[in-house]
Amino acid sequence: MATLLRIDSSASGEQSKSRQLADAFVAQWLAKNPEGTVVTRDVNANPLPHFTSETLGALFTPEEDRSAEQKAIVAIGDELIEELEAADVVAISAPIYNFSIPSTLKSYFDYVARAGRTFKYTETGPVGLLNKDAYVFSASGSFLENTPYDHQLPYVKTFLNFIGLTVKDAFVAGGQALGADGEKAFTDAKEKIAAAV
């Protein structure tokens, strides 16, 4: 039975266009995988603590020497990584906030990037260990894709590749604050999803 891990990050709730694109993808995926399971991680509804010196200290403290507080910190990342390891495919919805991703999603990335679990260092550079496919769903108020102002999608693809997730496709709806042009971009993205799944 296949498992899809869905990660949402928009602060706009059900009005979020990136989330609505992910909705369309999940519906299509379930139609093709009727016995499949969808696990949802909403980092906006349940934001993670920011990565701090305490977080780093806990991770670099040997397990047997960790305090109760440090064990609790490490357990946050353990749970997130176990979700990723258990998934067959990953779907990430993310708006563009100030040219990049929401800080809530950045915190998620910080927790799941763990040497020896999701990536390893080699003589030729880091190698991702998860070996799964991923899909990305993005929306923005203006049209930023493939411009110098888009620091979101290139970053997301780079990070996911770093931990071993291959981005099979990215579905982008730009111009969401621009009326008819944005509506067309959203419709086009949904049609692309229908054709891809």
Side-chain angles (χ1 to χ4, degrees):
M1 184 168 61
T3 299
L4 183 148
L5 173 61
R6 172 180 177 164
I7 303 161
D8 292 312
S9 59
S10 174
S12 299
E14 297 306 313
Q15 303 303 311
S16 162
K17 294 300 184 180
S18 59
R19 196 181 299 255
Q20 289 172 25
L21 292 178
D23 288 342
F25 177 86
V26 170
Q28 294 274 354
W29 186 85
L30 284 172
K32 291 203 170 186
N33 299 272
E35 302 298 318
T37 300
V38 177
V39 175
T40 301
R41 169 70 61 175
D42 188 333
V43 296
N44 172 70
N46 298 289
L48 299 160
H50 281 289
F51 211 82
T52 64
S53 56
E54 287 76 16
T55 315
L56 201 60
L59 288 168
F60 280 97
T61 299
E63 185 174 359
E64 63 275 12
D65 296 332
R66 288 174 186 153
S67 66
E69 291 79 9
Q70 288 177 319
K71 289 177 181 177
I73 290 171
V74 174
I76 294 170
D78 286 344
E79 179 181 353
L80 302 174
I81 292 168
E82 286 163 11
E83 282 182 348
L84 278 169
E85 290 172 336
D88 297 292
V89 62
V90 179
I92 298 177
S93 71
I96 294 182
Y97 287 167
N98 301 314
F99 311 109
S100 189
I101 61 174
S103 64
T104 50
L105 184 58
K106 177 61 167 66
S107 289
Y108 176 88
F109 286 171
D110 288 340
Y111 276 97
V112 300
R114 189 181 296 178
R117 285 290 296 277
T118 58
F119 73 95
K120 66 179 179 180
Y121 292 110
T122 72
E123 292 180 355
T124 57
V127 174
L129 299 176
L130 293 178
N131 300 315
K132 302 174 192 297
D133 291 340
Y135 296 85
V136 179
F137 309 88
S138 174
S140 59
S142 58
F143 291 99
L144 298 178
E145 187 181 15
N146 298 321
T147 76
Y149 298 101
D150 181 8
H151 302 287
Q152 186 235 37
L153 198 54
Y155 168 69
V156 170
K157 288 179 176 179
T158 297
F159 177 81
L160 296 182
N161 182 67
F162 176 73
I163 61 173
L165 296 179
T166 300
V167 177
K168 301 297 287 185
D169 214 336
F171 306 92
V172 180
Q176 295 309 295
L178 300 177
D181 288 343
E183 291 173 12
K184 183 180 185 306
F186 181 71
T187 300
D188 289 348
K190 287 186 73 173
E191 289 176 354
K192 184 180 174 186
I193 290 169
V197 179

